[in-house]
Amino acid sequence: MIVERPRDLLIKKILAHGFMILFLILILFPFLMVFSISIREGNFSVGSIIPKNPTLEHWWLAFGLDYVRADGTIVEPPYPVLLWMWNSIKIGLISGFGVLAIATISAYAFSRIRIKGKSAMLDGLFLIQMFPTTLALVAIYAIFDALGEVTPIMGLNSHVSLVVIYLAGVTLHIWTIKGYFDSIDTALDKAAAIDGATPWQTFRHIFLPLAVPIMSVVFVLAFIGFINDYPIASVLIRSEDKMTLAVGSRLYLNEFKYLWGDFAAAAILSGLPITVVFLIAQKYLVSGLSDGAVKG
């Protein structure tokens, strides 16, 4: 039996807590710097961490409201930040649910249905996913530029085109959900078949309820990736009213003037949708990442 002295345990406890506090400080320091810039007078990236004369001007403008300064000057919002955020949320939710639906159905097919050449198809999907989408930006631009001549809704400067491209990133999520389905005991399939259930009924009433945790993980990861995407959205979206927040925020840092304060406020707002989605799905995330489909 190993017996440790109380003094040694106290020292280890202090060191562990000190390490955690230091780790949290390192993580939160960049956020605190950005928040400090967002409440600092003017649009400067340098200055004290604690602003001498804090102001909500940048936040006021980010919410699309006119701001009246102490000298009576009225400052109008330079860009429609809330519209950009709505575009980001809309595209992220549609793409996220689309990826989730395709990935879940495909993963069930690959996991439970006998398909000729299934291993080759899975390997092909995995290899395709290894190449980043940025390698195909030129091809994506050319394809949707040509499609725009046939139907504008599938051309450049269209949210539909952006969603279609995002749906193509489903392959890695198919692998993720398939691994989860593979951990489900095949006895459940056989029991459902004996009771007369079709493959769709087995998928709908047995697999989907069990897969809620991993589906939550996939949706959150997909949503975060879509709402933060810059390369693809910056190539396809042109007009200011259709920009996402990630693309539109770049306008604050133009070649004539860097609006660091306004940019900082918009940057913090961009994390709000991700935080809300994470809080809603957090009770499923831990089990989806750590547990199997069948426990006990």
Side-chain angles (χ1 to χ4, degrees):
M1 180 177 179
I2 300 176
V3 179
E4 293 194 58
R5 292 177 296 179
R7 185 166 178 248
D8 294 338
L9 291 175
L10 179 61
I11 293 175
K12 292 180 179 179
K13 184 177 180 180
I14 293 174
L15 290 175
H17 282 76
F19 174 78
M20 289 300 300
I21 293 174
L22 179 61
F23 184 70
L24 289 174
I25 291 175
L26 291 175
I27 292 176
L28 293 176
F29 183 73
F31 173 80
L32 294 176
M33 284 292 297
V34 174
F35 180 75
S36 173
I37 295 172
S38 71
I39 60 175
R40 186 181 299 163
E41 282 188 321
N43 282 285
F44 305 103
S45 60
V46 295
S48 62
I49 297 179
I50 302 177
K52 296 180 180 179
N53 298 308
T55 176
L56 294 178
E57 175 181 344
H58 307 303
W59 286 94
W60 210 260
L61 299 178
F63 281 105
L65 303 174
D66 295 341
Y67 183 81
V68 182
R69 294 177 177 172
D71 59 359
T73 305
I74 299 177
V75 182
E76 296 181 354
Y79 301 109
V81 177
L82 292 183
L83 177 60
W84 293 343
M85 178 180 289
W86 164 244
N87 291 339
S88 298
I89 295 173
K90 177 179 64 176
I91 294 173
L93 289 176
I94 295 175
S95 303
F97 282 116
V99 164
L100 184 61
I102 297 173
T104 305
I105 296 173
S106 302
Y108 175 75
F110 281 121
S111 177
R112 286 298 194 265
I113 299 177
R114 293 183 179 180
I115 304 174
K116 187 176 181 181
K118 179 170 64 176
S119 298
M121 286 189 286
L122 283 171
D123 292 340
L125 291 175
F126 187 75
L127 290 175
I128 292 174
Q129 190 64 34
M130 294 299 100
F131 296 95
T133 310
T134 51
L135 291 177
L137 282 180
V138 177
I140 289 173
Y141 179 87
I143 290 172
F144 284 93
D145 184 39
L147 286 175
E149 298 180 359
V150 180
T151 170
I153 197 174
M154 287 295 295
L156 300 177
N157 201 37
S158 170
H159 290 168
V160 176
S161 302
L162 202 55
V163 170
V164 170
I165 296 176
Y166 288 157
L167 292 179
V170 71
T171 53
L172 186 60
H173 301 305
I174 292 176
W175 272 89
T176 303
I177 301 179
K178 177 185 176 298
Y180 197 85
F181 283 160
D182 288 343
S183 67
I184 298 178
D185 193 347
T186 55
L188 294 176
D189 305 60
K190 296 177 182 178
I194 292 174
D195 290 337
T198 63
W200 171 254
Q201 290 174 325
T202 303
F203 169 72
R204 169 66 181 85
H205 297 289
I206 296 178
F207 279 77
L208 278 186
L210 291 174
V212 169
I214 194 62
M215 290 168 63
S216 300
V217 173
V218 167
F219 176 78
V220 171
L221 293 178
F223 181 78
I224 292 174
F226 298 148
I227 205 169
N228 287 333
D229 173 68
Y230 177 80
I232 299 176
S234 64
V235 168
L236 289 186
I237 304 301
R238 298 295 182 181
S239 61
E240 186 176 297
D241 62 318
K242 292 189 176 182
M243 288 182 176
T244 60
L245 189 53
V247 177
S249 297
R250 181 65 181 85
L251 299 180
Y252 285 112
L253 308 178
N254 55 68
E255 56 185 298
F256 301 106
K257 188 176 183 180
Y258 280 14
L259 304 176
W260 288 111
D262 297 339
F263 176 81
I268 295 177
L269 279 179
S270 67
L272 183 60
I274 298 174
T275 304
V276 172
V277 169
F278 180 82
L279 291 176
I280 294 174
Q282 67 173 342
K283 66 178 181 179
Y284 301 108
L285 294 181
V286 175
S287 60
L289 289 171
S290 59
D291 298 338
V294 181
K295 302 180 285 298

